[in-house]
Amino acid sequence: MDRSKNNSTEFGHNAAATNAATASAAPWTNNKDSPNNEDDSNEDDGDNATPAKVTDPLAPRLTNNERVLVVSVTERRRETWGQKAEFLLAVIGFAVDLGNVWRFPYICYQNGGGAFLIPYCVMLIFGGLPLFYMELALGQFHRCGCLSIWKRICPALKGVGYAICLIDIYMGMYYNTIIGWAVYYLFASFTSKLPWTSCDNPWNTQNCMPVTSENFTELATSPAKEFFERRVLESHKGNGLDFMGPVKPTLALCVFGVFILVYFSLWKGVRSAGKVVWVTALAPYVVLIILLVRGVSLPGADEGIKYYLTPEWHKLKNSKVWIDAASQIFFSLGPGFGTLLALSSYNKFNNNCYRDALITSTINCLTSFLAGFVIFSVLGYMAYVQKTSIDKVGLEGPGLVFIVYPEAIATMSGSVFWSIIFFLMLITLGLDSTFGGLEAMITALCDEYPRAIGRRRELFVLLLLACIYLCALPTMTYGGVVLVNFLNVYGPGLAILFVVFVEAAGVFWFYGVDRFSSDVEQMLGTRPGIFWRVCWAYISPVFLLTIFIFSILGYEEMLGEEYYYPPWTIKVGWAVTCSSVMCIPMYMIYKFCFASKGGCRERLNEAFKPDASCGSVVPGQQGTSV
């Protein structure tokens, strides 16, 4: 009998047995090309390995192969949420932000009151929800962030991921400053008398007059308005973007406190964020309900609620109402910022993301509706106190929550208590959203560069937040409020619409709706229905493109009329917008010209077709990455 033949046969059986045992122990295998599973800790294994001392020349190979296989399988495993509720709270916390409180009520009454709910729900069903569901499913199936995922979908569109990371940085530069304003108000509320109650403070002017005064005219300014503009911001010491002045130390300290909270919420990933969201996501609802009960008990509240809900059906003929509904539902749900991808990537593979999408999007929209009652009950009260109409009381945006609502709080009994819980609510609403935006970028970069960044997440998060804080310092100057509004429009406001359109096109048109539906079927056991497939293939991309076109045409309206923007700032603004948008074509050129091989057709195939070397992501199949 031939000895070598026996050895070969035994080797084959042993190798097969080893592979089977390994597969049964852990039904995923390492894939060197997968960013989630790149072997970060085996660089020196060859030097440290001690081969077995046997005479058979095949034994050392088998021993080393077994050892390398076991290490590569067990070394990298993606963490998951500790509880399903943590994921749901994180998504809800991200989607429910300050815009639900200060933008939706204003948009609603401006566009027909109760009648606005019709276009709002239509845009939710056909535009917002399909995109929301898409991102949750993508993240959960591919289990990676907004950079690494494109290798599995359409490698040439990886620039979308870099654009999202840049947009998240712009958001971090101004959004945390707004939370810092709320922190300033919170500390200012710990006093026996709220500082924006009277006009006898050092920062008040001769035009200051309490809103309850019978002599209050349009030329007068309220104590709350002067407190915000002359005490918190001190914007009178600057000249907008032409002269922004020095950084205000107290404001910089408040924003620094916000960054400290953000760091200790994100430094450990889902292990730390999953615990924090129990407070930051649930606390706003407790406060909203308390404020609602208080608001509806105030005189004039019923008139405010009527003004909020009374339908003006004729406004539905105006196309602007439908565009506003589409924009509001898009920015409220937040697809495209990479957050939903990142949060869902830590789910278990067979989690019901379809049900999650329905639950979280519904809660988000109902929260906006609830916030409308909270705001308009108080606006009705303020109109009653000032003996004027509601449309002359309300403001959109920061003015609503930093001027009008504090004004109302100052006239209530127990004003200090109401002020404290109101600004605590604003802080928790803002923190959840900034967690989500930054986690999207952190997850993406940790997945894409596991050796350089993934191993050192705590240090990376610290350096990242330190850099964003330094970049955000101009928003804490005397002219910082103008810069905050400027970054809101030109940072994510315009660019994100185009980026999400390209993302949807890449998933639905290049990767394909059929392939994406098969991915969902592997996770949930059922294939998405015809409604979802039609929305993904046609309706959702058109929905995004329409919002983008109308936003470009109406960018001046997005800037508002409250602040003056010199001509040079408009050019800078478009440069900021293009800085993220240009990541997409620049990476496509790089991928086609420098990162692909062969002729034109081969390069196109390599650039626009999923990378076959990524392997499967389905548990139990070869090449799975978890």
Side-chain angles (χ1 to χ4, degrees):
M1 187 178 290
D2 191 344
R3 175 74 177 170
S4 63
K5 185 174 181 180
N6 282 342
N7 285 341
S8 300
T9 304
E10 289 173 7
F11 176 79
H13 288 311
N14 289 338
T18 301
N19 290 339
T22 304
S24 63
W28 54 82
T29 59
N30 182 68
N31 185 346
K32 188 175 181 181
D33 292 327
S34 172
N36 291 331
N37 295 282
E38 187 173 352
D39 188 6
D40 290 351
S41 57
N42 295 327
E43 295 164 331
D44 299 323
D45 279 354
D47 298 334
N48 298 330
T50 303
K53 296 181 179 180
V54 292
T55 56
D56 193 329
L58 290 175
R61 282 183 57 195
L62 180 58
T63 303
N64 287 343
N65 283 346
E66 285 182 328
R67 185 175 188 277
V68 172
L69 178 62
V70 172
V71 171
S72 66
V73 168
T74 59
E75 188 65 31
R76 294 278 297 173
R77 184 179 181 183
R78 193 174 189 81
E79 59 182 336
T80 58
W81 294 98
Q83 300 179 48
K84 172 66 175 288
E86 293 177 358
F87 165 69
L88 293 176
L89 290 174
V91 174
I92 292 169
F94 166 71
V96 178
D97 66 350
L98 295 171
N100 293 71
V101 175
W102 75 35
R103 179 167 170 79
F104 176 82
Y106 174 84
I107 291 292
C108 187
Y109 91 77
Q110 186 187 50
N111 290 290
F116 178 74
L117 297 178
I118 293 178
Y120 184 75
C121 291
V122 169
M123 294 301 174
L124 167 66
I125 294 171
F126 291 99
L129 186 55
L131 292 169
F132 194 83
Y133 179 23
M134 173 202 75
E135 284 219 344
L136 290 184
L138 272 180
Q140 183 172 306
F141 184 82
H142 294 286
R143 313 206 70 176
C144 51
C146 60
L147 286 172
S148 305
I149 197 171
W150 288 104
K151 182 182 288 188
R152 302 178 179 277
I153 296 174
C154 181
L157 295 182
K158 190 175 180 178
V160 169
Y162 287 109
I164 290 173
C165 291
L166 199 53
I167 287 172
D168 287 335
I169 290 176
Y170 292 145
M171 279 199 65
M173 287 171 58
Y174 75 87
Y175 198 83
N176 291 307
T177 300
I178 297 175
I179 305 173
W181 298 345
V183 173
Y184 191 105
Y185 269 87
L186 177 65
F187 282 104
S189 300
F190 286 96
T191 180
S192 58
K193 181 182 179 182
L194 295 177
W196 57 87
T197 303
S198 63
C199 291
D200 55 359
N201 301 291
W203 58 83
N204 291 128
T205 65
Q206 295 180 348
N207 294 326
C208 180
M209 186 177 295
V211 293
T212 54
S213 173
E214 294 181 357
N215 298 323
F216 191 86
T217 64
E218 293 183 358
L219 298 178
T221 55
S222 68
K225 183 178 176 65
E226 291 200 350
F227 178 80
F228 179 58
E229 294 179 350
R230 301 181 65 85
R231 178 61 174 173
V232 179
L233 304 177
E234 298 188 40
S235 54
H236 63 287
K237 296 182 178 179
N239 185 26
L241 296 180
D242 281 329
F243 174 72
M244 300 182 67
V247 173
K248 183 179 178 182
T250 52
L251 199 54
L253 186 61
C254 290
V255 178
F256 181 75
V258 173
F259 274 85
I260 293 295
L261 289 174
V262 172
Y263 174 73
F264 284 107
S265 300
L266 295 178
W267 71 321
K268 293 292 185 182
V270 296
R271 284 178 292 169
S272 55
K275 304 299 181 291
V276 174
V277 292
W278 283 99
V279 176
T280 56
L282 293 178
Y285 289 96
V286 175
V287 177
L288 275 175
I289 292 172
I290 294 174
L291 292 175
L292 176 63
V293 173
R294 177 56 177 155
V296 296
S297 65
L298 296 170
D302 56 336
E303 292 300 320
I305 294 173
K306 286 180 184 177
Y307 192 87
Y308 171 48
L309 294 178
T310 300
E312 299 179 57
W313 302 109
H314 66 278
K315 288 192 174 182
L316 296 182
K317 299 177 182 179
N318 188 347
S319 61
K320 182 180 180 299
V321 174
W322 295 83
I323 297 299
D324 284 348
S327 299
Q328 176 60 26
I329 199 65
F330 172 80
F331 285 106
S332 180
L333 291 177
F337 288 93
T339 303
L340 301 177
L341 278 174
L343 297 179
S344 62
S345 72
Y346 298 107
N347 277 335
K348 296 179 180 178
F349 185 80
N350 297 114
N351 173 66
N352 193 336
C353 56
Y354 170 67
R355 182 175 58 197
D356 294 345
L358 294 179
I359 292 173
T360 51
S361 59
T362 301
I363 291 176
N364 172 66
C365 295
L366 290 177
T367 304
S368 298
F369 193 57
L370 172 66
F373 284 95
V374 174
I375 295 298
F376 273 89
S377 61
V378 171
L379 291 181
Y381 165 67
M382 288 303 294
Y384 172 83
V385 169
Q386 298 178 33
K387 297 180 176 58
T388 185
S389 59
I390 295 174
D391 60 326
K392 294 182 180 180
V393 174
L395 290 172
E396 181 194 10
L400 180 61
V401 295
F402 291 111
I403 297 177
V404 177
Y405 211 94
E407 245 173 31
I409 288 174
T411 64
M412 301 178 190
S413 58
S415 58
V416 172
F417 169 75
W418 298 116
S419 179
I420 290 172
I421 66 168
F422 176 71
F423 288 108
L424 275 175
M425 180 191 72
L426 292 186
I427 292 169
T428 53
L429 281 173
L431 283 175
D432 273 333
S433 296
T434 200
F435 291 165
L438 293 172
E439 180 59 43
M441 177 170 46
I442 293 167
T443 296
L445 293 172
C446 286
D447 287 346
E448 181 68 11
Y449 307 104
R451 294 177 183 269
I453 298 176
R455 289 178 174 181
R456 307 171 181 85
R457 179 186 170 103
E458 293 88 348
L459 178 60
F460 170 68
V461 174
L462 177 64
L463 294 176
L464 174 67
L465 292 180
C467 290
I468 294 177
Y469 178 75
L470 292 176
C471 292
L473 284 175
T475 64
M476 305 165 216
T477 59
Y478 298 142
V481 64
V482 184
L483 182 59
V484 165
N485 191 56
F486 176 84
L487 287 173
N488 181 43
V489 174
Y490 288 110
L494 295 171
I496 192 64
L497 295 167
F498 178 76
V499 170
V500 181
F501 170 73
V502 176
E503 176 188 348
V507 175
F508 301 143
W509 297 344
F510 290 99
Y511 188 68
V513 170
D514 288 338
R515 183 182 293 178
F516 177 66
S517 299
S518 298
D519 294 345
V520 175
E521 185 177 10
Q522 291 183 73
M523 291 189 296
L524 307 184
T526 56
R527 194 174 182 83
I530 185 66
F531 167 78
W532 298 107
R533 298 200 299 273
V534 170
C535 285
W536 288 331
Y538 306 107
I539 299 177
S540 294
V542 172
F543 166 84
L544 290 168
L545 187 59
T546 302
I547 301 176
F548 175 67
I549 292 173
F550 277 90
S551 296
I552 290 292
L553 297 176
Y555 78 94
E556 293 181 348
E557 184 178 344
M558 294 175 67
L559 283 173
E561 300 177 354
E562 188 174 0
Y563 307 113
Y564 169 71
Y565 293 91
W568 66 268
T569 63
I570 305 301
K571 298 177 182 177
V572 173
W574 286 112
V576 171
T577 298
C578 291
S579 66
S580 55
V581 170
M582 288 303 294
C583 291
I584 299 174
M586 288 174 65
Y587 189 86
M588 291 176 67
I589 294 172
Y590 163 76
K591 181 66 178 177
F592 181 81
C593 297
F594 303 105
S596 301
K597 299 177 181 179
C600 183
R601 179 172 296 181
E602 288 79 9
R603 289 174 181 265
L604 285 173
N605 286 336
E606 187 175 344
F608 290 94
K609 289 187 177 180
D611 191 339
S613 65
C614 289
S616 172
V617 292
V618 183
Q621 292 188 9
Q622 186 69 20
T624 299
S625 61
V626 175

